[in-house]
Amino acid sequence: MISSRLKKPLIIVVIVALLAAGAAVYFYMNRVTEKAEDVLKQYVNSLNERDFKAMYVLLTDESKAKISEEDFIAKNQKIYEGIEAADLGIEIKNIDERSESTELTYQMSMDTLAGIHIFSNKAVFTMNDEKAFRLVWTPEIIYPSLTAEDKIRVSIVSGIRGRILDRNGIVLADNGIASSVGLVPGKLSVNTKEADLANLSQILDVSVESIQKKLSASYVKEDSFVAIKMIAKKDYDRTEKLLEIPGVLITDTKARVYPYAEKTAHLTGYI
């Protein structure tokens, strides 16, 4: 038999053990199984695999109430496949843990049709009844400031060639206007055609054969403008002589201008 003096300490030990066991069970039942950043990485991994259904599963119930699975898949698929996004990756920059949610600030990178694109973004996660973090989804998850009505597309804009200057600021190569000298076949004189082509050949320093080859191209019609050679816009002497030839037409066009021509050719060539 247990003496009365031993009963009290034994009861206290049992109570402490039960409390500890209860705390352990409570902790196990209420523990968070994943971190918010793990869920975000899972979301991006699914995006790389084009598994839009798996992405949708990671949304909060409130987010799912605002966009159906069908619309979610269609929107994401159209945007990411439209810009040919690949190799998406994220780098977590900041974690703001709050009582009811966690906000992640991250940097996303992706390879697109227009090259590698990097931008900063934020994502908010809340815990559901199963103590799992779920993403509060809005179109801004795709791209900052994106609304439900917005669309994303890739456009490639060619850069303007830069000016080349010497150390004193003198222009060696620039973007300017040149004169494109050409012929309109239907305007050529029937009676003096051969003599006119020979004259044009001499003024432009091109062969008659090369002129005739351009005039005989399959796309050329009677009213077509067939470009023969580019000359400097300020070459007034040649311009006056050229305009005396029937069928010659001179138009202005954007061109790369080399003020010193062959004098600086070794400096302004291709690199």
Side-chain angles (χ1 to χ4, degrees):
M1 294 182 63
I2 301 173
S3 66
S4 60
R5 284 185 293 180
L6 294 176
K7 286 182 180 180
K8 190 172 184 180
L10 183 59
I11 291 172
I12 294 174
V13 171
V14 172
I15 292 173
V16 170
L18 289 173
L19 288 173
V25 171
Y26 179 83
F27 175 78
Y28 178 80
M29 294 298 294
N30 292 275
R31 68 191 177 98
V32 178
T33 57
E34 290 179 308
K35 294 181 179 179
E37 52 266 41
D38 294 332
V39 179
L40 179 59
K41 291 175 183 178
Q42 185 179 346
Y43 183 89
V44 175
N45 288 338
S46 297
L47 178 54
N48 270 315
E49 296 171 2
R50 296 293 188 269
D51 191 349
F52 302 111
K53 286 188 176 182
M55 291 163 59
Y56 189 76
V57 171
L58 299 176
L59 272 55
T60 63
D61 291 338
E62 291 78 7
S63 298
K64 292 177 180 178
K66 294 178 181 178
I67 183 169
S68 67
E69 182 180 38
E70 183 180 358
D71 290 342
F72 176 85
I73 292 174
K75 187 174 188 66
N76 281 274
Q77 186 171 18
K78 187 173 183 179
I79 289 177
Y80 286 112
E81 293 186 357
I83 64 176
E84 298 184 12
D87 297 327
L88 290 93
I90 57 168
E91 181 181 352
I92 307 294
K93 294 295 185 179
N94 186 58
I95 300 174
D96 184 7
E97 294 181 342
R98 305 169 186 176
S99 58
E100 298 295 331
S101 64
T102 297
E103 182 181 86
L104 300 180
T105 301
Y106 61 95
Q107 180 176 280
M108 173 167 275
S109 63
M110 65 177 76
D111 192 0
T112 72
L113 185 63
I116 301 224
H117 187 49
I118 301 173
F119 60 91
S120 296
N121 209 350
K122 291 183 178 181
V124 176
F125 292 82
T126 60
M127 282 188 291
N128 60 16
D129 295 336
E130 288 75 35
K131 300 300 177 182
F133 276 111
R134 289 295 177 258
L135 174 64
V136 179
W137 190 88
T138 67
E140 291 182 331
I141 296 296
I142 298 175
Y143 196 80
S145 302
L146 185 71
T147 68
E149 291 74 29
D150 291 337
K151 297 179 181 179
I152 292 179
R153 66 180 179 182
V154 173
S155 59
I156 300 174
V157 180
S158 300
I160 299 174
R161 296 183 69 181
R163 306 173 79 201
I164 300 177
L165 314 176
D166 73 357
R167 63 181 180 178
N168 297 315
I170 297 174
V171 178
L172 302 178
D174 201 355
N175 299 311
I177 302 296
S179 294
S180 177
V181 181
L183 286 169
V184 179
K187 299 292 184 179
L188 285 169
S189 172
V190 177
N191 299 325
T192 61
K193 181 177 179 179
E194 291 185 6
D196 290 336
L197 292 183
N199 190 16
L200 180 63
S201 168
Q202 185 177 6
I203 297 172
L204 294 179
D205 192 23
V206 295
S207 67
V208 173
E209 290 75 15
S210 66
I211 297 174
Q212 291 175 332
K213 184 177 180 180
K214 290 180 179 180
L215 290 173
S216 61
S218 59
Y219 70 88
V220 174
K221 299 179 181 179
E222 288 295 295
D223 58 349
S224 298
F225 173 77
V226 182
I228 306 299
K229 187 175 181 179
M230 300 274 288
I231 64 172
K233 183 172 174 58
K234 296 182 179 180
D235 194 345
Y236 300 115
D237 291 338
R238 281 203 290 180
T239 298
E240 290 181 3
K241 293 177 181 179
L242 288 165
L243 290 176
E244 293 176 356
I245 301 173
V248 168
L249 182 65
I250 301 176
T251 62
D252 288 343
T253 184
K254 293 180 180 179
R256 192 68 166 165
V257 178
Y258 302 91
Y260 295 95
E262 67 278 358
K263 294 178 183 179
T264 57
H266 59 294
L267 296 176
T268 55
Y270 291 98
I271 298 178

